[in-house]
Amino acid sequence: MEPTVGVLALQGDFAEHLSVLTRLGVPALDVRRRDQLERVAALIMPGGESTTISRLLLQFGLFEPLRERALAGMPVWGTCAGAILLAREVRTLDRPSLGLMDMVVDRNAFGRQIDSFEADVEIEGIGGGPVRAVFIRAPIFTDVGPQARVLGRLADGTVVAVRQGNLLATSFHPELTDDTRVHERFLELAGVRPARGETAVARAGR
Amino acid sequence: MQAGVVPSLRSAWGRTGCGEMQEPEKATFRTKAGLAQMLKGGVIMDVVTPEHAKIAEEAGACAVMALERVPADIRAAGGVARMSDPELILRIMDAVSIPVMAKCRIGHFVEAQVLEALGVDYIDESEVLTPADEAHHIDKQPFKVPFVCGCRDLGEALRRISEGAAMIRTKGEAGTGNVVEAVRHMRQVMDDIRRLQNMPDDELYAEAKRLGAPVELVREVKDLGRLPVVMFTAGGIATPADAAMMMQLGADGVFVGSGIFKSEDPERRARAIVKATTYYNDPSVIAEVSRGLGDAMRGLDVAKLPEQELLATRGW
């Protein structure tokens, strides 16, 4: 059986991620309970409110199992709120993060909603030109340690994409655009092959 | 209605970045509608003090609505209900790290300008306040801050979206603690969408006329099988089961106004409604969180309200 990719579905734009996975022909599952977490081979943590998601992770007993599976090598990708939860330290969040990636996160680092923006970002390992990255009350990554690798920056050098082994963090939302290249990159990292033959570049040209 | 000037939401959503580098751009429709997408599956709570706001954030609210009085108290007080004091809104913005929304009167574009200047994350052009204009809603397109607006049916939702709203909520009847109108409006929107999906393309023009909405948006709803923006429920949600029912009926998330801070134990009720919204398809969780919550807000029979006291009929 094809490995299933899970999307943490406690709160946020999980449906958008599930829809991209479905378009890529990958078996996907929305994850709200422990038994669902056990069934997936990789996990995406979506955008949303990190305070809400971290509280629900703790209350429904998903926090430790998720952490253990990620430490055991399960590929995990966090977008925005999801990325916040992956960091070793989060400024201005008085709740525990999963502490899995060697970096510090500043929440709402660009300001309030009126400062939300789109910008082109080149991502290491993704060909075909920059991705149009959507930043919504977005965090930034600072103090990226030697265990982690910066994959993408804004023009001013701000770090917005980081990889550490099986873990991927983006402070923007690839799930809000039609460009599926970042999803495909994560699936490659997770060893899951998209079933649909249509290439991202062909799609982006539509 | 000038359907021709309505920007195609499809083009706003569909841009991708292959090829040449493009300039960064602030406050695009995608970032406006995108924040609403980040709120999905969550609960937005009315709060009247910074302390309430912290309780809401701690309970897991995905955003708060900052206002001077919850709708039940606005109803009781009578008189003209206006935008809240900026001082209060700023104190609430300082108190929490989650998004803060605030309400302006229908058609009161200067109240909206003030809220934008304060830096609120979303403006609710709301029928809960006394309308400032009986003919025109705010032209929301030029604003950098996104708007959420109420609706009772698909036509009303699409009129607001054509004016620039980046998020929709069904109206319900605010301040009643009675879910019946929320159900009526959600079912109406869903029914209107299902009708479109079964309609041949050549009948969409007449349907657009019937709905009073631009045909381009009508066609987009038919193709998508849903609104092109996020749609929450509002107006009368008082219990975890109310919230879960509205989610099962198709809401993307829940506004709770008076239902939390007019109840006996707001903190517990807030946490319970958050959990019921996430696990809306899991009756065992809803049962568990509903145990021993204390009294819900008292509530009103909407059928016995005099017509001039109804809020949902404000706006067009």
Side-chain angles (χ1 to χ4, degrees):
Chain A
M1 203 181 91
E2 277 287 308
T4 298
V5 176
V7 181
L8 190 65
L10 298 177
Q11 192 270 322
D13 71 336
F14 50 86
E16 283 77 352
H17 276 292
L18 288 166
S19 142
V20 177
L21 293 173
T22 304
R23 271 163 52 208
L24 290 171
V26 174
L29 180 70
D30 44 334
V31 172
R32 292 181 181 82
R33 295 192 317 263
R34 251 179 112 142
D35 60 299
Q36 294 167 327
L37 181 63
E38 282 158 17
R39 281 157 53 197
V40 300
L43 185 73
I44 298 175
M45 298 200 293
E49 270 310 308
S50 50
T51 54
T52 305
I53 296 172
S54 68
R55 165 168 270 282
L56 291 166
L57 273 177
L58 285 165
Q59 288 177 334
F60 285 90
L62 288 165
F63 190 90
E64 275 308 321
L66 201 169
R67 204 179 120 75
E68 279 163 25
R69 287 217 51 200
L71 284 171
M74 176 177 70
V76 180
W77 172 24
T79 58
C80 196
I84 291 170
L85 298 174
L86 284 171
R88 106 175 111 76
E89 186 190 333
V90 186
R91 297 203 179 103
T92 71
L93 178 68
D94 49 5
R95 283 180 196 159
S97 68
L98 293 164
L100 292 164
M101 289 180 79
D102 190 9
M103 61 184 190
V104 177
V105 167
D106 263 338
R107 287 176 68 216
N108 306 334
F110 297 97
R112 304 199 69 96
Q113 169 61 16
I114 45 174
D115 302 304
S116 291
F117 66 103
E118 302 179 15
D120 284 356
V121 178
E122 293 273 6
I123 308 287
E124 188 184 302
I126 292 181
V131 299
R132 188 68 175 169
V134 184
F135 296 87
I136 296 170
R137 285 171 48 93
I140 58 172
F141 309 131
T142 63
D143 304 285
V144 178
Q147 296 185 64
R149 181 179 178 81
V150 174
L151 296 187
R153 295 176 189 272
L154 292 174
D156 67 0
T158 304
V159 177
V160 295
V162 176
R163 179 185 171 181
Q164 181 175 332
N166 54 315
L167 308 172
L168 181 64
T170 57
S171 63
F172 54 93
H173 297 280
E175 73 279 13
L176 294 188
T177 70
D178 285 344
D179 186 344
T180 55
R181 287 177 296 161
V182 186
H183 283 83
E184 289 170 62
R185 182 74 186 88
F186 174 67
L187 294 174
E188 189 185 313
L189 186 154
V192 179
R193 185 184 295 273
R196 301 276 151 81
E198 194 186 5
T199 70
V201 175
R203 258 194 313 280
R206 273 205 307 244
Chain B
M1 178 144 321
Q2 290 176 281
V5 302
V6 175
S8 163
L9 290 171
R10 272 180 247 219
S11 65
W13 290 86
R15 277 179 44 190
T16 53
C18 270
E20 289 171 23
M21 289 287 262
Q22 291 168 339
E23 288 298 307
E25 204 182 343
K26 274 193 184 182
T28 62
F29 190 77
R30 193 153 57 185
T31 65
K32 291 178 179 177
L35 177 56
Q37 288 171 281
M38 298 312 138
L39 301 175
K40 280 164 56 173
V43 182
I44 301 170
M45 301 181 192
D46 277 6
V47 297
V48 299
T49 65
E51 293 69 39
H52 278 184
K54 281 186 186 143
I55 290 171
E57 182 177 46
E58 189 52 40
C62 65
V64 291
M65 177 75 69
L67 67 181
E68 274 165 352
R69 288 192 290 248
V70 295
D73 289 336
I74 290 174
R75 212 174 254 294
V80 175
R82 310 178 178 90
M83 176 187 80
S84 296
D85 183 342
E87 175 66 24
L88 172 76
I89 295 168
L90 287 169
R91 281 170 53 218
I92 288 171
M93 286 164 64
D94 279 345
V96 294
S97 67
I98 56 179
V100 175
M101 302 183 164
K103 290 184 194 290
C104 71
R105 284 179 266 177
I106 289 174
H108 205 314
F109 52 88
V110 173
E111 283 186 351
Q113 290 165 6
V114 170
L115 293 175
E116 178 169 87
L118 295 176
V120 302
D121 296 298
Y122 240 96
I123 296 175
D124 183 3
E125 186 184 18
S126 177
E127 71 282 3
V128 168
L129 305 182
T130 310
D133 190 326
E134 290 184 336
H136 305 284
H137 285 250
I138 296 170
D139 177 6
K140 295 165 273 286
Q141 307 267 12
F143 284 83
K144 292 200 294 267
V145 60
F147 282 75
V148 54
C149 290
C151 78
R152 286 159 294 172
D153 54 35
L154 180 62
E156 195 172 9
L158 296 183
R159 286 190 290 279
R160 298 294 85 77
I161 293 169
S162 74
E163 294 157 359
M167 178 178 184
I168 290 294
R169 56 174 172 75
T170 48
K171 285 178 173 173
E173 188 59 32
T176 60
N178 186 339
V179 79
V180 65
E181 294 300 303
V183 169
R184 186 193 317 279
H185 299 156
M186 184 60 65
R187 282 197 184 277
Q188 184 63 52
V189 173
M190 292 300 170
D191 191 47
D192 290 342
I193 293 173
R194 279 190 298 269
R195 256 176 63 85
L196 278 186
Q197 286 182 286
N198 289 322
M199 195 171 283
D201 286 345
D202 64 351
E203 292 183 10
L204 292 180
Y205 303 95
E207 181 67 4
K209 180 185 173 194
R210 190 188 73 82
L211 290 169
V215 70
E216 276 308 312
L217 285 175
V218 171
R219 188 176 288 124
E220 189 165 357
V221 170
K222 182 193 169 185
D223 291 350
L224 292 172
R226 53 161 297 144
L227 290 184
V229 301
V230 166
M231 177 172 66
F232 271 46
T233 179
I237 289 90
T239 68
D242 286 350
M245 175 170 68
M246 296 314 298
M247 293 295 288
Q248 288 195 25
L249 284 172
D252 289 321
V254 180
F255 280 92
V256 186
S258 318
I260 288 172
F261 288 100
K262 283 284 159 194
S263 72
E264 188 181 340
D265 187 345
E267 223 166 314
R268 278 194 67 192
R269 185 163 296 266
R271 287 199 300 267
I273 291 178
V274 168
K275 289 182 194 167
T277 302
T278 292
Y279 294 90
Y280 66 90
N281 266 331
D282 195 334
S284 62
V285 172
I286 301 164
E288 181 60 32
V289 303
S290 300
R291 287 172 60 179
L293 274 188
D295 286 341
M297 73 177 280
R298 172 119 167 70
L300 295 169
D301 183 348
V302 179
K304 291 189 181 139
L305 284 178
E307 200 164 326
Q308 67 271 20
E309 287 183 22
L310 293 176
L311 303 177
T313 51
R314 295 167 167 183
W316 56 282

